[in-house]
Amino acid sequence: MRIIGLTGGIGSGKSTVSAYLREKKIPVVDADSISRQLTAPGSSLLPAVRILLGDKVFREDGKLNRQAVADIIFNDKELLKSYEELITNETARRCLEELRQLDEQKRWKAAVLDAPLLFECGMQQYMDENWLVQADPETRIARVTARDGISREAICDRMQRQMSEEKKASLADVIIENSGSLEELYRQIDRQLERIGNEG
Ligand code: ATP
């Protein structure tokens, strides 16, 4: 089974690519959703969060108080680093475990890991190939504004804090260009899937 890492900056179209791949019956592991589950009630990671940040980040019902977490970590660089490491390492571990399980089923020719922080976490090294979705900045800003209703400034701020597009491109094996229509996007994906199908 060929394992494909899928990434891209804010509003580049990762989720749109993932949705299309799912339609094509290709399993997609969603790193963001796995990361969110880690701090959901009952998660086995919560005791480690309690050790790191203390009882004060938990409500009486045992649920994590996300605002309290943010208040602490964004005022303490060391804790921010440790907390991010805890979450990203465990997210990466669980993503790879899910991919391993898919591989064991021997049902799929390819599987995809949708990970906005694929390169930042160094996960690209575990993939057979890495796809980067790109679109020109103005198109991304317009699409995210229409999708989320947030300000241009907020989007630009996030774009600036992300790894540069040049650096990402240098780590990618395949660039999916998504400044055009959905049809053009889907055509590129079809082409890649055809290549993978033909490879073996
Ligand atoms: P984020 O990183 O913010 O989660 P993303 O990379 O997952 O974003 P999408 O949510 O897939 O990006 O796309 C951003 C928005 O642009 C969505 O509303 C999506 O429907 C729209 N979109 C994506 N590609 C195209 C396209 N080729 N033509 C028109 N709209 C598009």
Side-chain angles (χ1 to χ4, degrees):
M1 184 182 80
R2 196 144 181 91
I3 300 181
I4 303 163
L6 173 68
T7 194
I10 177 172
S12 56
K14 296 174 294 297
S15 310
T16 307
V17 172
S18 284
Y20 185 69
L21 289 165
R22 284 195 174 99
E23 254 177 53
K24 296 273 162 183
K25 309 282 179 241
I26 294 182
V28 178
V29 174
D30 181 343
D32 263 0
S33 130
I34 288 176
S35 170
R36 276 194 301 275
Q37 285 163 24
L38 288 181
T39 51
S43 161
S44 58
L45 198 74
L46 293 182
V49 173
R50 193 183 289 274
I51 290 169
L52 184 69
L53 302 179
D55 289 339
K56 54 193 175 298
V57 299
F58 287 88
R59 299 183 198 279
E60 275 177 14
D61 61 5
K63 284 189 185 159
L64 191 66
N65 180 342
R66 289 170 198 280
Q67 188 56 50
V69 171
D71 288 346
I72 293 179
I73 61 178
F74 291 117
N75 283 304
D76 184 325
K77 274 194 184 149
E78 284 299 309
L79 278 180
L80 173 64
K81 193 163 167 264
S82 304
Y83 185 74
E84 281 183 342
E85 266 172 25
L86 181 68
I87 302 288
T88 51
N89 289 345
E90 186 60 14
T91 301
R93 200 189 63 72
R94 291 191 189 196
C95 287
L96 294 175
E97 174 59 22
E98 283 202 16
L99 289 166
R100 193 189 62 75
Q101 285 177 12
L102 286 168
D103 191 28
E104 263 182 9
Q105 290 177 29
K106 306 223 175 297
R107 283 176 58 194
W108 319 98
K109 196 151 183 91
V112 172
L113 172 63
D114 175 347
L117 299 179
L118 183 79
F119 296 142
E120 288 84 344
C121 297
M123 292 232 278
Q124 79 277 6
Q125 60 184 310
Y126 304 113
M127 306 290 117
D128 294 311
E129 59 184 86
N130 292 287
W131 294 8
L132 173 66
V133 188
Q134 285 194 316
D136 68 65
E138 284 307 320
T139 306
R140 289 164 61 196
I141 292 169
R143 286 177 182 162
V144 176
T145 310
R147 186 192 62 188
D148 300 340
I150 55 175
S151 73
R152 182 189 176 86
E153 288 66 37
I155 302 165
C156 291
D157 184 50
R158 278 197 223 166
M159 284 165 92
Q160 267 158 17
R161 281 190 278 125
Q162 292 182 332
M163 182 187 283
S164 77
E165 288 299 311
E166 292 72 26
K167 172 89 183 147
K168 282 184 187 158
S170 74
L171 294 167
D173 303 296
V174 171
I175 304 232
I176 309 273
E177 166 48 48
N178 185 30
S179 302
S181 67
L182 285 173
E183 288 67 32
E184 284 168 304
L185 175 67
Y186 297 156
R187 220 175 300 137
Q188 293 173 70
I189 303 168
D190 288 342
R191 220 178 296 136
Q192 294 301 330
L193 294 179
E194 209 179 299
R195 170 183 57 79
I196 289 169
N198 290 338
E199 272 170 7

